[in-house]
Amino acid sequence: MKNIDPIRLEVLKNRFASLTEEMGAALMRTAFSPNIKERRDFSCALFDREGEMVAQAAHIPVHLGSMPLSVAAALGRADLAPGDMVLLNDPYRGGTHLPDVTLVTPVFFGEERPAFYLANRAHHADVGGMTAGSLPLSTEIFQEGLRIPPVKIVRCGKIDRELLAMVLANVRTPVEREGDLTAQIAANRTGERRLREIVEGCGLEETEGYCRALLDYGARMMEEVVAAIPDGSYAFEDLLDDDGAGLENIPVRCTVTIRGKEAVVDFSKCAPQVPGCLNAVRAITLSAVFYVFRLLAPEEVPGNAGCMRPIGVRTKPGTVADCTFPAAVAGGNVETSQRLVDVLLGALAQALPERIPAASCGSMNNLTVGGAAPGGELFAYYETVAGGAGGGPAGEGASGIQTHMTNTLNTPVEALEHAYPLRVRRYALRVGSGGPGRHRGGDGVTKEIELLAPARITLIGERRRTAPYGLQGGGPGRKGRNCLIRDGRERKLPGKCSIDVRAGDRLRVETPGGGGWGVRED
């Protein structure tokens, strides 16, 4: 398409972004689970006919950078028809980990093949598996829950009730799961209505032309970002504490090579995939790279597939950054993703010392609790607990915040206590946990929860053995700590564990602070 009007381009960029934001609002308001309704653990995006991401809402980074592979898996179905929706969560077919359930809707405009795809991904609080919450200390993916290849959950506008029944039969909380799945369906239908309004106003040819222009615009802007980084190769290495299955100090390595307007990010020297659940599929590594380079770009740069054109990503199959079937992956999405970001930022800090902050807390501090409420009804609760952001050139790190690859909110105390047999005894900043420096790291938090019924708790956290690093002379943030309090006695827990607890027991999670930046001037 010729004669791209820059004003029209900006208008359509904003309309596409608003479309995805409205999808998210519909999903949040109609979902059943606190994890989606309150914590907003979901993402929405629009894709063109080739499966390239055109627009995204400002949702969860680890979702958005990996979702194109889910759409690609849906594109692989040759039998798509108007009114269909494809459901999947298989990490080895475009997913990340099993609780992240993706719904893809093809949108037709009188042609044999779809002109667009709408997709949303939501983290379900349980999809089966060996422990409630579906984030177990697994050693193979079969232990982690129901694995769904790309299948039609909606056919010609009608939900496949037999398929839905099969899914619900394999989860601990079927009513909540059905509510969240139907909320995902409603979100995509909302997006389709808005997309049809755009196409009716502009015409299909013009709409697609401006989509291509937006992708080209994103690529040009990212080329400028890359060109502003000094040419050279920059390497950095950090460690994952352990894999939850006995292997400790797992190296995560990154080398960034800049040549003019092109960058190559190489994770091929990361540790081999591990027996435990901290393996990441390649989609997660792509997400980390997309996220970090998007941070370097001006705010007005659209977050679309064009941004990745100047950036090559190298991984080696069989490593923690590109694991192969049937490796366990439950923690790779939430923990290894954070360390991939840490090492990529650490490498870029050598090239851009006055732009890159110190390490943030480096963990999503995952907590799942499952059991039976006093009335006998099964429950499964999941959340991530905030930590401290790294201090940076512009100032101190934020305290008590979800950092990097997660962009969720906390579960409000009132919502948590209403929905589950739990009581929050303490929720406060962990004062002094941020690293020292000219600009201090942000503080983590302390969260203490009392169990009102017997349950099983699973923790998957990092930075309990290795501290978040400081930069430019700043000190590290404090490491995290977990403990169980029973009959007034504290028992220290490892960063990754799964334990049975009694009514009256208390779990205390103390999350890491961010690293400090710069030498303090006293």
Side-chain angles (χ1 to χ4, degrees):
M1 176 177 161
K2 299 179 181 179
N3 302 321
I4 296 295
D5 180 356
I7 296 177
R8 190 109 170 115
L9 184 69
E10 184 68 20
V11 168
L12 283 173
K13 182 187 81 170
N14 292 334
R15 289 193 71 182
F16 291 144
S18 295
L19 176 157
T20 59
E21 292 284 359
E22 191 171 349
M23 289 172 63
L27 177 51
M28 176 186 70
R29 291 171 182 166
T30 55
F32 279 32
S33 67
N35 190 56
I36 297 174
K37 183 178 289 292
E38 303 288 354
R39 295 188 60 247
R40 304 183 187 182
D41 197 346
F42 60 82
S43 300
C44 303
L46 168 69
F47 299 79
D48 68 10
R49 68 171 66 237
E50 305 303 327
E52 292 207 87
M53 186 168 64
V54 174
Q56 57 169 302
H59 290 152
I60 312 300
V62 75
H63 289 175
L64 292 164
S66 58
M67 212 186 298
L69 294 184
S70 292
V71 174
L75 261 72
R77 293 194 62 117
D79 60 342
L80 292 175
D84 289 350
M85 296 190 188
V86 176
L87 185 75
L88 71 152
N89 73 344
D90 187 348
Y92 295 102
R93 301 189 198 184
T96 50
H97 65 174
L98 298 184
D100 283 345
V101 177
T102 302
L103 189 72
V104 182
T105 300
V107 184
F108 293 79
F109 288 92
E111 300 175 314
E112 290 187 2
R113 59 176 296 204
F116 297 95
Y117 297 85
L118 294 161
N120 70 65
R121 175 172 289 171
H123 185 115
H124 285 248
D126 185 86
V127 290
M130 61 193 287
T131 59
S134 309
L135 280 175
L137 299 184
S138 48
T139 55
E140 58 179 4
I141 196 167
F142 306 111
Q143 299 169 332
E144 297 179 357
L146 181 65
R147 188 161 56 98
I148 308 170
V151 293
K152 289 186 183 182
I153 188 71
V154 178
R155 295 175 179 270
C156 300
K158 295 184 178 180
I159 296 175
D160 185 330
R161 293 291 171 182
E162 290 187 355
L163 176 59
L164 179 61
M166 186 277 294
V167 171
L168 300 181
N170 284 277
V171 302
R172 294 172 176 83
T173 49
V175 173
E176 187 177 87
R177 297 289 64 72
E178 182 174 8
D180 287 348
L181 281 171
T182 52
Q184 289 185 261
I185 292 171
N188 277 13
R189 286 177 173 161
T190 297
E192 183 173 356
R193 288 196 296 271
R194 295 296 173 259
L195 180 59
R196 292 193 180 279
E197 291 172 3
I198 293 172
V199 173
E200 287 170 7
C202 300
L204 179 59
E205 183 179 353
E206 181 177 329
T207 303
E208 290 193 285
Y210 275 97
C211 285
R212 290 191 293 270
L214 278 171
L215 295 174
D216 293 341
Y217 176 56
R220 290 195 305 272
M221 294 294 285
M222 188 55 71
E223 285 177 349
E224 294 182 12
V225 170
V226 173
I229 304 172
D231 282 3
S233 291
Y234 311 96
F236 195 84
E237 178 179 334
D238 204 343
L239 298 173
L240 290 163
D241 290 348
D242 64 276
D243 70 341
L247 186 64
E248 299 177 348
N249 299 325
I250 302 159
V252 179
R253 304 181 180 98
C254 175
T255 300
V256 181
T257 302
I258 307 294
R259 293 288 182 269
K261 295 181 179 181
E262 296 182 348
V264 175
V265 182
D266 189 345
F267 285 104
S268 63
K269 295 181 180 178
C270 288
Q273 63 190 52
V274 294
C277 66
L278 258 66
N279 301 294
V281 293
R282 179 174 162 83
I284 292 169
T285 302
L286 294 174
S287 287
V289 175
F290 179 85
Y291 166 74
V292 169
F293 277 86
R294 185 70 183 80
L295 290 179
L296 298 176
E299 189 172 334
E300 62 269 19
V301 175
N304 61 36
C307 293
M308 286 298 286
R309 289 180 188 170
I311 305 166
V313 181
R314 293 177 182 168
T315 59
K316 182 180 179 181
T319 63
V320 293
D322 185 0
C323 65
T324 55
F325 180 82
V329 299
N333 180 66
V334 288
E335 296 303 291
T336 306
S337 66
Q338 298 285 57
R339 197 65 72 254
L340 294 169
V341 168
D342 287 343
V343 297
L344 179 49
L345 285 173
L348 287 170
Q350 299 165 39
L352 302 169
E354 296 302 317
R355 290 200 62 189
I356 305 298
S360 293
C361 77
S363 176
M364 295 191 197
N365 305 293
N366 304 272
L367 167 63
T368 60
V369 185
E377 184 179 358
L378 295 181
F379 72 94
Y381 155 64
Y382 167 74
E383 80 164 325
T384 59
V385 185
E396 294 185 353
S399 296
I401 191 170
Q402 305 279 357
T403 60
H404 292 322
M405 295 301 277
T406 178
N407 189 33
T408 56
L409 303 179
N410 73 312
T411 307
V413 171
E414 298 83 357
L416 191 156
E417 293 184 342
H418 172 75
Y420 306 109
L422 306 169
R423 181 172 294 131
V424 179
R425 288 295 189 177
R426 187 182 180 202
Y427 193 21
L429 291 179
R430 189 184 176 204
V431 177
S433 56
R438 187 192 316 168
H439 296 146
R440 291 186 63 256
D443 289 329
V445 304
T446 297
K447 190 163 192 174
E448 188 174 306
I449 297 174
E450 180 182 357
L451 284 300
L452 303 182
R456 187 165 186 86
I457 287 174
T458 302
L459 291 164
I460 299 180
E462 274 285 317
R463 296 298 195 192
R464 269 60 180 175
R465 294 165 54 88
T466 60
Y469 61 78
L471 279 179
Q472 314 308 327
R478 284 178 62 187
K479 293 177 281 189
R481 184 174 180 270
N482 309 321
C483 73
L484 180 70
I485 304 168
R486 175 175 291 171
D487 299 328
R489 296 182 179 180
E490 291 189 9
R491 168 190 161 197
K492 184 178 178 182
L493 299 176
K496 301 171 188 68
C497 62
S498 190
I499 60 170
D500 291 317
V501 293
R502 309 170 185 166
D505 287 352
R506 298 186 187 186
L507 174 72
R508 182 187 301 149
V509 177
E510 300 175 16
T511 66
W517 190 92
V519 178
R520 185 171 179 177
E521 298 174 353
D522 288 327

